[in-house]
Structure formats: C-alpha cells, structure tokens
Amino acid sequence: MRTRLCPLLAHCFGSDRLGENGQLIGVHDAFLVKYDANCQRHLPVHRDESTFSFTIALSKTDEYNGGGTYICDIGSSILSERGSVLSFRGDKILHGGDPISHGIRYVIVAFCYSLTEKGELGNNLISKKRDKFNQMTLSSKRAKASDECQKLIGEYENKTKTDSFSFGFAL
C-alpha cells in the first residue's frame, strides 16, 4: 500500500493534499468483494463515505461475463484487467458494481481519506456513523438504503460531468 498505491493516489489526486508519496493518506476500510452470478451479482449505484476510493481487480476478465465498475458520469463500466487499479473520488463519483452474468469476480476495495482533511474529528465521526448503523434493524437498513439510492439518483440527474477519477494503472 505505502510503496505502490499511496504514491499512485498522490500522483492522481495531488501531492499537495496527500503528501509527496501519499504519506498523508489514511485508510478508513478495505475488504475483499466477491461478485457471483448465482448470488451477489452487482452493487447498486452509490457514493462512498471516503474521499478517495479504489478497487484492485483480482480476477482475470475471462473468468466471468459482465461486471466492472459502472461510473454514472461516463454512462458505462470500466472493466479492469487482473492487477489493475481503478481510483476515483468516492465522495463525488456516483458508481456501482455492474452485474455479472456468469462466473465469479473478486476485487479488493479500499476507502481512503487525506489526513490533512479528516484528522481526529473525522475518525470520530466515522466511528459514530458505524456504531449508529450497526444498531439499526435490518428493515431500517433496507429502508435507509432505498431512500439513499433514490436521493443519489436524483442528485446524479442534476449533476454535471466531472473528471474526478483515474484508471488503467497496473501494479
């Protein structure tokens, strides 16, 4: 992360915000996502609670059909080759996981922020949001997700195109 991804993010989004080699990047969360044609086929459009987000493709593109990261601003999906990184402004770009129709697709997803912008206050706010979410019932979570999705779609329809993402960087 520190030797390859942080410098890449600093190059893409500005070393003035993220430090010369990305030393001012904090990771809020990172995890493995499995898209399966028979189970979780996609992820609805959304924005992340991170300043910078990235995915790392782990599967070869011939191991599944469909898929990719759908970017609403460009109206299409970006299908990354194994080992490639797709980075973008998670808080600004409306995006989702395009459905796969066959096979299994694995990606690593990470949510990052600038230590100069978040600081300790931001970390406390994130912890409070996570605690509140974990205390909600499943039906409340579903209702909130539905409301958020409708809100995001409305925001997207009124949004202008941006250039807040980058892609095609092989590790």
Side-chain angles (χ1 to χ4, degrees):
M1 172 79 187
R2 289 286 166 208
T3 59
R4 292 189 181 234
L5 295 174
C6 288
L8 169 67
L9 292 172
H11 175 76
C12 293
F13 298 107
S15 58
D16 55 326
R17 297 174 82 181
L18 301 177
E20 187 175 326
N21 290 308
Q23 71 268 25
L24 298 177
I25 295 173
V27 177
H28 167 63
D29 202 2
F31 50 89
L32 178 70
V33 176
K34 176 184 177 183
Y35 292 102
D36 185 331
N38 298 315
C39 194
Q40 181 183 342
R41 297 180 57 232
H42 75 290
L43 185 63
V45 295
H46 63 281
R47 286 192 183 92
D48 299 329
E49 288 192 31
S50 63
T51 310
F52 310 100
S53 300
F54 66 85
T55 64
I56 303 173
L58 299 179
S59 301
K60 295 179 182 176
T61 55
D62 63 0
E63 295 175 352
Y64 58 91
N65 293 337
T69 302
Y70 183 80
I71 306 289
C72 292
D73 280 351
I74 63 173
S76 66
S77 289
I78 298 170
L79 191 58
S80 301
E81 294 292 329
R82 183 181 190 176
S84 295
V85 174
L86 170 67
S87 61
F88 53 94
R89 286 293 307 259
D91 60 344
K92 303 234 184 248
I93 299 293
L94 190 58
H95 63 283
D98 239 10
I100 64 169
S101 57
H102 174 76
I104 296 175
R105 174 181 177 234
Y106 290 98
V107 294
I108 293 174
V109 175
F111 305 115
C112 305
Y113 58 92
S114 170
L115 294 173
T116 60
E117 295 172 9
K118 284 282 186 183
E120 202 55 42
L121 176 61
N123 290 335
N124 290 336
L125 290 174
I126 290 168
S127 294
K128 287 178 185 177
K129 283 184 178 183
R130 181 183 297 137
D131 291 345
K132 183 178 177 182
F133 183 77
N134 288 337
Q135 293 170 3
M136 295 171 66
T137 64
L138 182 58
S139 60
S140 296
K141 288 177 183 177
R142 286 182 178 149
K144 181 174 175 53
S146 177
D147 291 346
E148 287 296 315
C149 189
Q150 290 304 316
K151 179 180 165 191
L152 290 173
I153 290 169
E155 288 176 12
Y156 170 69
E157 290 171 348
N158 297 323
K159 189 174 186 261
T160 59
K161 303 243 187 249
T162 69
D163 60 348
S164 300
F165 66 93
S166 62
F167 58 93
F169 298 97
L171 293 176

